Amino acid sequence: MKFLVGLAAAILVFAALDVADTLIVPVAFAVFVIAVVYPLQALLETRLPKLLAVLATLVITLAVVGGVSSVVVWGFSHVATWVFQNTARFQVLYGQAATWLEGHGFVLAGLWAEHFDVRWLLRAFQDLSGRLQGLASFLVFTFVYVLLGLLEVDAIKSQVLRLGRTGRAPHLPAALADTAAKLQKYMAVRTLMSIATGAVVWVFTLTAGLELALAWGAIAFAMNYIPFIGPFVATLLPALFALAQFESWEMALFVFACLNVIQFLSGSYLEPRVAGKALAVSPFLVLFSVFFWAFLWGIAGAFIGVPILIAVLTICAHHPASRHVAELLSGQTVPEEA
């Protein structure tokens, strides 16, 4: 009975998060941003009055977020323009693929071809670019919350410490401090790996002779912030464009394979070693979290899904009653006792 009640309550909570996404997503992002940038504010407060330190932190954060957003919009806009200029290539390639599939018994290919228009790819890019440009209003609301939150961090911090001292929530101060530290490390590692991945993709596509090499590097940099989904998109799109540019399946497969090797080395080899065990989470749970929050909140949910997962598991790890949940979902192998 308790399980059913808990399940029903969870469904209601997630349904409410879905319905009220316009209100809640900026708040969730604001809390995440505050946790990441507060050390900068604390550093500035040693040299500036608090209000100036908060404003400087906000301006720096806006500049970074605005710069990254501009890079993303620029990359996808250039790709969309190239699609528009080379629509005929994609249409011919699709016709050849449909003919080949029909020749091998895939009768649905012809039916699909009757309703297929390669312009849907252009519309998809335009829709994505429009969504990215629509981030402006979202960022306005988010950074209003960030401004107000940064002004209240010290007050909230003192209240949390008081709850810890009085025994009402003895595990809360350490849990929140550890959560903030992990989120800061997560963003630092993710940003470092994104820059490295974008640079390597740019060099590779430039060396391979693929057009829009700088745009592919920019897209790889941005998409790397979304685990699994982002790297897949950042490898699939250049491969499709290599097929249209070179009109060679071999070249497309070569580009796809090389970009996957780059993404694998970055995400599965280098990043875990840079992040260490502090951010160890089950890959299955990471993938589920990305898809689940993307289902609820779209692109914003895909981006913030892993930080939410890290925060939940960290808080669970600091409470004796839920510590086993964090250990179970950490993805770490426990050595056998002798």
PDB file of all heavy atoms in Angstrom, residues 35-73:
ATOM      1  N   ALA A  35      24.192  27.569  -7.869  1.00  0.00           N
ATOM      2  CA  ALA A  35      25.117  26.601  -7.270  1.00  0.00           C
ATOM      3  C   ALA A  35      26.464  26.606  -7.974  1.00  0.00           C
ATOM      4  O   ALA A  35      27.509  26.428  -7.341  1.00  0.00           O
ATOM      5  CB  ALA A  35      24.497  25.208  -7.318  1.00  0.00           C
ATOM      6  N   VAL A  36      26.451  26.835  -9.286  1.00  0.00           N
ATOM      7  CA  VAL A  36      27.696  26.785 -10.066  1.00  0.00           C
ATOM      8  C   VAL A  36      28.505  28.078  -9.920  1.00  0.00           C
ATOM      9  O   VAL A  36      29.742  28.037  -9.798  1.00  0.00           O
ATOM     10  CB  VAL A  36      27.379  26.512 -11.548  1.00  0.00           C
ATOM     11  CG1 VAL A  36      28.629  26.652 -12.413  1.00  0.00           C
ATOM     12  CG2 VAL A  36      26.786  25.113 -11.719  1.00  0.00           C
ATOM     13  N   VAL A  37      27.839  29.234  -9.926  1.00  0.00           N
ATOM     14  CA  VAL A  37      28.570  30.505  -9.980  1.00  0.00           C
ATOM     15  C   VAL A  37      28.790  31.145  -8.617  1.00  0.00           C
ATOM     16  O   VAL A  37      29.509  32.154  -8.524  1.00  0.00           O
ATOM     17  CB  VAL A  37      27.840  31.521 -10.899  1.00  0.00           C
ATOM     18  CG1 VAL A  37      27.616  30.939 -12.280  1.00  0.00           C
ATOM     19  CG2 VAL A  37      26.510  31.975 -10.284  1.00  0.00           C
ATOM     20  N   TYR A  38      28.220  30.579  -7.552  1.00  0.00           N
ATOM     21  CA  TYR A  38      28.373  31.223  -6.230  1.00  0.00           C
ATOM     22  C   TYR A  38      29.830  31.374  -5.805  1.00  0.00           C
ATOM     23  O   TYR A  38      30.181  32.398  -5.197  1.00  0.00           O
ATOM     24  CB  TYR A  38      27.589  30.463  -5.171  1.00  0.00           C
ATOM     25  CG  TYR A  38      27.729  31.087  -3.801  1.00  0.00           C
ATOM     26  CD1 TYR A  38      27.124  32.307  -3.504  1.00  0.00           C
ATOM     27  CD2 TYR A  38      28.500  30.478  -2.814  1.00  0.00           C
ATOM     28  CE1 TYR A  38      27.275  32.897  -2.263  1.00  0.00           C
ATOM     29  CE2 TYR A  38      28.653  31.064  -1.565  1.00  0.00           C
ATOM     30  CZ  TYR A  38      28.044  32.268  -1.294  1.00  0.00           C
ATOM     31  OH  TYR A  38      28.197  32.850  -0.059  1.00  0.00           O
ATOM     32  N   PRO A  39      30.721  30.390  -6.091  1.00  0.00           N
ATOM     33  CA  PRO A  39      32.125  30.615  -5.717  1.00  0.00           C
ATOM     34  C   PRO A  39      32.716  31.876  -6.340  1.00  0.00           C
ATOM     35  O   PRO A  39      33.556  32.546  -5.716  1.00  0.00           O
ATOM     36  CB  PRO A  39      32.826  29.355  -6.243  1.00  0.00           C
ATOM     37  CG  PRO A  39      31.775  28.306  -6.213  1.00  0.00           C
ATOM     38  CD  PRO A  39      30.516  29.020  -6.600  1.00  0.00           C
ATOM     39  N   LEU A  40      32.294  32.220  -7.560  1.00  0.00           N
ATOM     40  CA  LEU A  40      32.762  33.452  -8.189  1.00  0.00           C
ATOM     41  C   LEU A  40      32.284  34.660  -7.400  1.00  0.00           C
ATOM     42  O   LEU A  40      33.043  35.607  -7.165  1.00  0.00           O
ATOM     43  CB  LEU A  40      32.262  33.523  -9.633  1.00  0.00           C
ATOM     44  CG  LEU A  40      32.565  34.824 -10.387  1.00  0.00           C
ATOM     45  CD1 LEU A  40      34.067  35.045 -10.489  1.00  0.00           C
ATOM     46  CD2 LEU A  40      31.926  34.791 -11.773  1.00  0.00           C
ATOM     47  N   GLN A  41      31.018  34.635  -6.982  1.00  0.00           N
ATOM     48  CA  GLN A  41      30.493  35.736  -6.180  1.00  0.00           C
ATOM     49  C   GLN A  41      31.246  35.857  -4.858  1.00  0.00           C
ATOM     50  O   GLN A  41      31.603  36.963  -4.429  1.00  0.00           O
ATOM     51  CB  GLN A  41      29.003  35.532  -5.898  1.00  0.00           C
ATOM     52  CG  GLN A  41      28.413  36.625  -4.997  1.00  0.00           C
ATOM     53  CD  GLN A  41      26.984  36.328  -4.586  1.00  0.00           C
ATOM     54  OE1 GLN A  41      26.282  35.615  -5.286  1.00  0.00           O
ATOM     55  NE2 GLN A  41      26.570  36.848  -3.443  1.00  0.00           N
ATOM     56  N   ALA A  42      31.495  34.729  -4.206  1.00  0.00           N
ATOM     57  CA  ALA A  42      32.225  34.750  -2.934  1.00  0.00           C
ATOM     58  C   ALA A  42      33.628  35.333  -3.113  1.00  0.00           C
ATOM     59  O   ALA A  42      34.121  36.075  -2.247  1.00  0.00           O
ATOM     60  CB  ALA A  42      32.299  33.338  -2.357  1.00  0.00           C
ATOM     61  N   LEU A  43      34.270  35.008  -4.234  1.00  0.00           N
ATOM     62  CA  LEU A  43      35.594  35.553  -4.506  1.00  0.00           C
ATOM     63  C   LEU A  43      35.529  37.057  -4.736  1.00  0.00           C
ATOM     64  O   LEU A  43      36.370  37.824  -4.218  1.00  0.00           O
ATOM     65  CB  LEU A  43      36.193  34.854  -5.726  1.00  0.00           C
ATOM     66  CG  LEU A  43      37.564  35.360  -6.199  1.00  0.00           C
ATOM     67  CD1 LEU A  43      38.617  35.109  -5.125  1.00  0.00           C
ATOM     68  CD2 LEU A  43      37.961  34.671  -7.503  1.00  0.00           C
ATOM     69  N   LEU A  44      34.545  37.496  -5.500  1.00  0.00           N
ATOM     70  CA  LEU A  44      34.413  38.933  -5.779  1.00  0.00           C
ATOM     71  C   LEU A  44      34.055  39.724  -4.532  1.00  0.00           C
ATOM     72  O   LEU A  44      34.440  40.893  -4.397  1.00  0.00           O
ATOM     73  CB  LEU A  44      33.354  39.150  -6.866  1.00  0.00           C
ATOM     74  CG  LEU A  44      33.710  38.653  -8.267  1.00  0.00           C
ATOM     75  CD1 LEU A  44      32.530  38.813  -9.218  1.00  0.00           C
ATOM     76  CD2 LEU A  44      34.924  39.398  -8.810  1.00  0.00           C
ATOM     77  N   GLU A  45      33.321  39.093  -3.600  1.00  0.00           N
ATOM     78  CA  GLU A  45      32.925  39.795  -2.379  1.00  0.00           C
ATOM     79  C   GLU A  45      34.114  40.113  -1.482  1.00  0.00           C
ATOM     80  O   GLU A  45      34.008  40.955  -0.588  1.00  0.00           O
ATOM     81  CB  GLU A  45      31.898  38.965  -1.604  1.00  0.00           C
ATOM     82  CG  GLU A  45      30.504  39.027  -2.196  1.00  0.00           C
ATOM     83  CD  GLU A  45      29.488  38.285  -1.347  1.00  0.00           C
ATOM     84  OE1 GLU A  45      29.850  37.818  -0.247  1.00  0.00           O
ATOM     85  OE2 GLU A  45      28.327  38.180  -1.776  1.00  0.00           O
ATOM     86  N   THR A  46      35.241  39.425  -1.709  1.00  0.00           N
ATOM     87  CA  THR A  46      36.440  39.755  -0.924  1.00  0.00           C
ATOM     88  C   THR A  46      37.066  41.064  -1.377  1.00  0.00           C
ATOM     89  O   THR A  46      37.923  41.619  -0.669  1.00  0.00           O
ATOM     90  CB  THR A  46      37.489  38.617  -1.050  1.00  0.00           C
ATOM     91  OG1 THR A  46      37.869  38.473  -2.429  1.00  0.00           O
ATOM     92  CG2 THR A  46      36.910  37.298  -0.537  1.00  0.00           C
ATOM     93  N   ARG A  47      36.658  41.547  -2.545  1.00  0.00           N
ATOM     94  CA  ARG A  47      37.243  42.785  -3.075  1.00  0.00           C
ATOM     95  C   ARG A  47      36.198  43.857  -3.373  1.00  0.00           C
ATOM     96  O   ARG A  47      36.564  45.024  -3.561  1.00  0.00           O
ATOM     97  CB  ARG A  47      38.012  42.471  -4.358  1.00  0.00           C
ATOM     98  CG  ARG A  47      39.130  41.457  -4.163  1.00  0.00           C
ATOM     99  CD  ARG A  47      39.883  41.215  -5.450  1.00  0.00           C
ATOM    100  NE  ARG A  47      40.960  40.242  -5.272  1.00  0.00           N
ATOM    101  CZ  ARG A  47      41.815  39.880  -6.209  1.00  0.00           C
ATOM    102  NH1 ARG A  47      41.708  40.416  -7.432  1.00  0.00           N
ATOM    103  NH2 ARG A  47      42.758  38.985  -5.955  1.00  0.00           N
ATOM    104  N   LEU A  48      34.931  43.463  -3.471  1.00  0.00           N
ATOM    105  CA  LEU A  48      33.875  44.403  -3.837  1.00  0.00           C
ATOM    106  C   LEU A  48      32.738  44.340  -2.816  1.00  0.00           C
ATOM    107  O   LEU A  48      32.581  43.324  -2.128  1.00  0.00           O
ATOM    108  CB  LEU A  48      33.319  44.069  -5.230  1.00  0.00           C
ATOM    109  CG  LEU A  48      34.290  44.131  -6.417  1.00  0.00           C
ATOM    110  CD1 LEU A  48      33.602  43.590  -7.671  1.00  0.00           C
ATOM    111  CD2 LEU A  48      34.755  45.564  -6.653  1.00  0.00           C
ATOM    112  N   PRO A  49      31.929  45.404  -2.724  1.00  0.00           N
ATOM    113  CA  PRO A  49      30.705  45.314  -1.924  1.00  0.00           C
ATOM    114  C   PRO A  49      29.795  44.219  -2.466  1.00  0.00           C
ATOM    115  O   PRO A  49      29.865  43.864  -3.660  1.00  0.00           O
ATOM    116  CB  PRO A  49      30.062  46.705  -2.097  1.00  0.00           C
ATOM    117  CG  PRO A  49      31.192  47.594  -2.476  1.00  0.00           C
ATOM    118  CD  PRO A  49      32.138  46.753  -3.275  1.00  0.00           C
ATOM    119  N   LYS A  50      28.920  43.702  -1.613  1.00  0.00           N
ATOM    120  CA  LYS A  50      28.118  42.544  -2.001  1.00  0.00           C
ATOM    121  C   LYS A  50      27.292  42.805  -3.252  1.00  0.00           C
ATOM    122  O   LYS A  50      27.234  41.959  -4.163  1.00  0.00           O
ATOM    123  CB  LYS A  50      27.203  42.139  -0.849  1.00  0.00           C
ATOM    124  CG  LYS A  50      26.335  40.928  -1.177  1.00  0.00           C
ATOM    125  CD  LYS A  50      25.496  40.484  -0.002  1.00  0.00           C
ATOM    126  CE  LYS A  50      24.648  39.265  -0.396  1.00  0.00           C
ATOM    127  NZ  LYS A  50      23.845  38.769   0.746  1.00  0.00           N
ATOM    128  N   LEU A  51      26.618  43.946  -3.314  1.00  0.00           N
ATOM    129  CA  LEU A  51      25.760  44.221  -4.460  1.00  0.00           C
ATOM    130  C   LEU A  51      26.556  44.275  -5.756  1.00  0.00           C
ATOM    131  O   LEU A  51      26.139  43.716  -6.779  1.00  0.00           O
ATOM    132  CB  LEU A  51      25.012  45.541  -4.251  1.00  0.00           C
ATOM    133  CG  LEU A  51      24.010  45.933  -5.345  1.00  0.00           C
ATOM    134  CD1 LEU A  51      22.958  44.837  -5.524  1.00  0.00           C
ATOM    135  CD2 LEU A  51      23.357  47.269  -5.032  1.00  0.00           C
ATOM    136  N   LEU A  52      27.718  44.917  -5.727  1.00  0.00           N
ATOM    137  CA  LEU A  52      28.552  44.975  -6.934  1.00  0.00           C
ATOM    138  C   LEU A  52      29.073  43.587  -7.301  1.00  0.00           C
ATOM    139  O   LEU A  52      29.175  43.246  -8.490  1.00  0.00           O
ATOM    140  CB  LEU A  52      29.726  45.928  -6.704  1.00  0.00           C
ATOM    141  CG  LEU A  52      29.390  47.420  -6.641  1.00  0.00           C
ATOM    142  CD1 LEU A  52      30.643  48.242  -6.392  1.00  0.00           C
ATOM    143  CD2 LEU A  52      28.707  47.862  -7.936  1.00  0.00           C
ATOM    144  N   ALA A  53      29.389  42.789  -6.278  1.00  0.00           N
ATOM    145  CA  ALA A  53      29.859  41.428  -6.547  1.00  0.00           C
ATOM    146  C   ALA A  53      28.768  40.597  -7.205  1.00  0.00           C
ATOM    147  O   ALA A  53      29.031  39.820  -8.140  1.00  0.00           O
ATOM    148  CB  ALA A  53      30.318  40.769  -5.245  1.00  0.00           C
ATOM    149  N   VAL A  54      27.525  40.752  -6.723  1.00  0.00           N
ATOM    150  CA  VAL A  54      26.402  40.025  -7.317  1.00  0.00           C
ATOM    151  C   VAL A  54      26.181  40.459  -8.758  1.00  0.00           C
ATOM    152  O   VAL A  54      25.999  39.621  -9.660  1.00  0.00           O
ATOM    153  CB  VAL A  54      25.121  40.244  -6.484  1.00  0.00           C
ATOM    154  CG1 VAL A  54      23.900  39.708  -7.226  1.00  0.00           C
ATOM    155  CG2 VAL A  54      25.242  39.563  -5.133  1.00  0.00           C
ATOM    156  N   LEU A  55      26.207  41.767  -8.998  1.00  0.00           N
ATOM    157  CA  LEU A  55      25.990  42.274 -10.359  1.00  0.00           C
ATOM    158  C   LEU A  55      27.114  41.829 -11.295  1.00  0.00           C
ATOM    159  O   LEU A  55      26.860  41.459 -12.448  1.00  0.00           O
ATOM    160  CB  LEU A  55      25.896  43.802 -10.330  1.00  0.00           C
ATOM    161  CG  LEU A  55      24.652  44.381  -9.647  1.00  0.00           C
ATOM    162  CD1 LEU A  55      24.726  45.896  -9.603  1.00  0.00           C
ATOM    163  CD2 LEU A  55      23.384  43.920 -10.352  1.00  0.00           C
ATOM    164  N   ALA A  56      28.352  41.853 -10.807  1.00  0.00           N
ATOM    165  CA  ALA A  56      29.470  41.409 -11.635  1.00  0.00           C
ATOM    166  C   ALA A  56      29.348  39.925 -11.960  1.00  0.00           C
ATOM    167  O   ALA A  56      29.598  39.500 -13.098  1.00  0.00           O
ATOM    168  CB  ALA A  56      30.790  41.691 -10.914  1.00  0.00           C
ATOM    169  N   THR A  57      28.949  39.128 -10.965  1.00  0.00           N
ATOM    170  CA  THR A  57      28.754  37.691 -11.195  1.00  0.00           C
ATOM    171  C   THR A  57      27.667  37.459 -12.232  1.00  0.00           C
ATOM    172  O   THR A  57      27.813  36.609 -13.133  1.00  0.00           O
ATOM    173  CB  THR A  57      28.365  36.988  -9.880  1.00  0.00           C
ATOM    174  OG1 THR A  57      29.387  37.213  -8.904  1.00  0.00           O
ATOM    175  CG2 THR A  57      28.190  35.493 -10.098  1.00  0.00           C
ATOM    176  N   LEU A  58      26.585  38.228 -12.125  1.00  0.00           N
ATOM    177  CA  LEU A  58      25.483  38.077 -13.065  1.00  0.00           C
ATOM    178  C   LEU A  58      25.904  38.461 -14.480  1.00  0.00           C
ATOM    179  O   LEU A  58      25.570  37.769 -15.454  1.00  0.00           O
ATOM    180  CB  LEU A  58      24.299  38.932 -12.616  1.00  0.00           C
ATOM    181  CG  LEU A  58      22.981  38.714 -13.355  1.00  0.00           C
ATOM    182  CD1 LEU A  58      22.443  37.316 -13.077  1.00  0.00           C
ATOM    183  CD2 LEU A  58      21.945  39.757 -12.946  1.00  0.00           C
ATOM    184  N   VAL A  59      26.654  39.554 -14.606  1.00  0.00           N
ATOM    185  CA  VAL A  59      27.104  40.012 -15.926  1.00  0.00           C
ATOM    186  C   VAL A  59      28.034  38.985 -16.560  1.00  0.00           C
ATOM    187  O   VAL A  59      27.910  38.651 -17.755  1.00  0.00           O
ATOM    188  CB  VAL A  59      27.808  41.379 -15.813  1.00  0.00           C
ATOM    189  CG1 VAL A  59      28.505  41.736 -17.123  1.00  0.00           C
ATOM    190  CG2 VAL A  59      26.801  42.460 -15.447  1.00  0.00           C
ATOM    191  N   ILE A  60      28.961  38.440 -15.790  1.00  0.00           N
ATOM    192  CA  ILE A  60      29.889  37.436 -16.308  1.00  0.00           C
ATOM    193  C   ILE A  60      29.134  36.185 -16.736  1.00  0.00           C
ATOM    194  O   ILE A  60      29.399  35.607 -17.804  1.00  0.00           O
ATOM    195  CB  ILE A  60      30.959  37.096 -15.252  1.00  0.00           C
ATOM    196  CG1 ILE A  60      31.853  38.316 -14.995  1.00  0.00           C
ATOM    197  CG2 ILE A  60      31.799  35.899 -15.696  1.00  0.00           C
ATOM    198  CD1 ILE A  60      32.809  38.149 -13.835  1.00  0.00           C
ATOM    199  N   THR A  61      28.176  35.769 -15.908  1.00  0.00           N
ATOM    200  CA  THR A  61      27.381  34.577 -16.240  1.00  0.00           C
ATOM    201  C   THR A  61      26.559  34.796 -17.504  1.00  0.00           C
ATOM    202  O   THR A  61      26.484  33.921 -18.375  1.00  0.00           O
ATOM    203  CB  THR A  61      26.447  34.217 -15.069  1.00  0.00           C
ATOM    204  OG1 THR A  61      27.220  34.082 -13.879  1.00  0.00           O
ATOM    205  CG2 THR A  61      25.710  32.915 -15.347  1.00  0.00           C
ATOM    206  N   LEU A  62      25.943  35.982 -17.609  1.00  0.00           N
ATOM    207  CA  LEU A  62      25.173  36.303 -18.815  1.00  0.00           C
ATOM    208  C   LEU A  62      26.063  36.311 -20.053  1.00  0.00           C
ATOM    209  O   LEU A  62      25.658  35.825 -21.124  1.00  0.00           O
ATOM    210  CB  LEU A  62      24.508  37.669 -18.647  1.00  0.00           C
ATOM    211  CG  LEU A  62      23.163  37.695 -17.912  1.00  0.00           C
ATOM    212  CD1 LEU A  62      22.760  39.138 -17.617  1.00  0.00           C
ATOM    213  CD2 LEU A  62      22.087  37.012 -18.738  1.00  0.00           C
ATOM    214  N   ALA A  63      27.270  36.840 -19.906  1.00  0.00           N
ATOM    215  CA  ALA A  63      28.187  36.890 -21.047  1.00  0.00           C
ATOM    216  C   ALA A  63      28.565  35.480 -21.498  1.00  0.00           C
ATOM    217  O   ALA A  63      28.594  35.190 -22.699  1.00  0.00           O
ATOM    218  CB  ALA A  63      29.437  37.677 -20.671  1.00  0.00           C
ATOM    219  N   VAL A  64      28.823  34.590 -20.543  1.00  0.00           N
ATOM    220  CA  VAL A  64      29.201  33.212 -20.885  1.00  0.00           C
ATOM    221  C   VAL A  64      28.029  32.488 -21.539  1.00  0.00           C
ATOM    222  O   VAL A  64      28.176  31.867 -22.603  1.00  0.00           O
ATOM    223  CB  VAL A  64      29.674  32.456 -19.636  1.00  0.00           C
ATOM    224  CG1 VAL A  64      29.874  30.979 -19.953  1.00  0.00           C
ATOM    225  CG2 VAL A  64      30.963  33.066 -19.104  1.00  0.00           C
ATOM    226  N   VAL A  65      26.855  32.558 -20.914  1.00  0.00           N
ATOM    227  CA  VAL A  65      25.683  31.880 -21.461  1.00  0.00           C
ATOM    228  C   VAL A  65      25.302  32.466 -22.814  1.00  0.00           C
ATOM    229  O   VAL A  65      24.981  31.733 -23.760  1.00  0.00           O
ATOM    230  CB  VAL A  65      24.496  31.972 -20.479  1.00  0.00           C
ATOM    231  CG1 VAL A  65      23.224  31.400 -21.106  1.00  0.00           C
ATOM    232  CG2 VAL A  65      24.813  31.224 -19.187  1.00  0.00           C
ATOM    233  N   GLY A  66      25.334  33.789 -22.926  1.00  0.00           N
ATOM    234  CA  GLY A  66      25.017  34.425 -24.202  1.00  0.00           C
ATOM    235  C   GLY A  66      26.008  34.045 -25.288  1.00  0.00           C
ATOM    236  O   GLY A  66      25.624  33.825 -26.444  1.00  0.00           O
ATOM    237  N   GLY A  67      27.291  33.946 -24.921  1.00  0.00           N
ATOM    238  CA  GLY A  67      28.295  33.545 -25.899  1.00  0.00           C
ATOM    239  C   GLY A  67      28.089  32.131 -26.398  1.00  0.00           C
ATOM    240  O   GLY A  67      28.148  31.867 -27.600  1.00  0.00           O
ATOM    241  N   VAL A  68      27.814  31.202 -25.466  1.00  0.00           N
ATOM    242  CA  VAL A  68      27.575  29.810 -25.858  1.00  0.00           C
ATOM    243  C   VAL A  68      26.314  29.710 -26.719  1.00  0.00           C
ATOM    244  O   VAL A  68      26.303  29.018 -27.746  1.00  0.00           O
ATOM    245  CB  VAL A  68      27.452  28.910 -24.611  1.00  0.00           C
ATOM    246  CG1 VAL A  68      27.031  27.501 -25.004  1.00  0.00           C
ATOM    247  CG2 VAL A  68      28.775  28.869 -23.861  1.00  0.00           C
ATOM    248  N   SER A  69      25.249  30.414 -26.323  1.00  0.00           N
ATOM    249  CA  SER A  69      24.009  30.385 -27.096  1.00  0.00           C
ATOM    250  C   SER A  69      24.217  30.934 -28.500  1.00  0.00           C
ATOM    251  O   SER A  69      23.690  30.397 -29.483  1.00  0.00           O
ATOM    252  CB  SER A  69      22.917  31.183 -26.377  1.00  0.00           C
ATOM    253  OG  SER A  69      22.660  30.668 -25.084  1.00  0.00           O
ATOM    254  N   SER A  70      25.012  31.998 -28.604  1.00  0.00           N
ATOM    255  CA  SER A  70      25.281  32.583 -29.916  1.00  0.00           C
ATOM    256  C   SER A  70      26.054  31.619 -30.806  1.00  0.00           C
ATOM    257  O   SER A  70      25.794  31.522 -32.009  1.00  0.00           O
ATOM    258  CB  SER A  70      26.083  33.882 -29.751  1.00  0.00           C
ATOM    259  OG  SER A  70      25.350  34.832 -29.003  1.00  0.00           O
ATOM    260  N   VAL A  71      26.999  30.889 -30.215  1.00  0.00           N
ATOM    261  CA  VAL A  71      27.760  29.897 -30.975  1.00  0.00           C
ATOM    262  C   VAL A  71      26.840  28.812 -31.515  1.00  0.00           C
ATOM    263  O   VAL A  71      26.940  28.394 -32.676  1.00  0.00           O
ATOM    264  CB  VAL A  71      28.865  29.285 -30.092  1.00  0.00           C
ATOM    265  CG1 VAL A  71      29.478  28.056 -30.768  1.00  0.00           C
ATOM    266  CG2 VAL A  71      29.954  30.318 -29.823  1.00  0.00           C
ATOM    267  N   VAL A  72      25.907  28.352 -30.657  1.00  0.00           N
ATOM    268  CA  VAL A  72      24.971  27.300 -31.073  1.00  0.00           C
ATOM    269  C   VAL A  72      24.085  27.792 -32.215  1.00  0.00           C
ATOM    270  O   VAL A  72      23.917  27.113 -33.240  1.00  0.00           O
ATOM    271  CB  VAL A  72      24.106  26.850 -29.886  1.00  0.00           C
ATOM    272  CG1 VAL A  72      23.087  25.817 -30.339  1.00  0.00           C
ATOM    273  CG2 VAL A  72      24.981  26.275 -28.782  1.00  0.00           C
ATOM    274  N   VAL A  73      23.496  28.973 -32.044  1.00  0.00           N
ATOM    275  CA  VAL A  73      22.622  29.527 -33.080  1.00  0.00           C
ATOM    276  C   VAL A  73      23.397  29.740 -34.368  1.00  0.00           C
ATOM    277  O   VAL A  73      22.906  29.436 -35.469  1.00  0.00           O
ATOM    278  CB  VAL A  73      21.993  30.847 -32.583  1.00  0.00           C
ATOM    279  CG1 VAL A  73      21.226  31.528 -33.718  1.00  0.00           C
ATOM    280  CG2 VAL A  73      21.066  30.590 -31.407  1.00  0.00           C
TER     281      VAL A  73
END
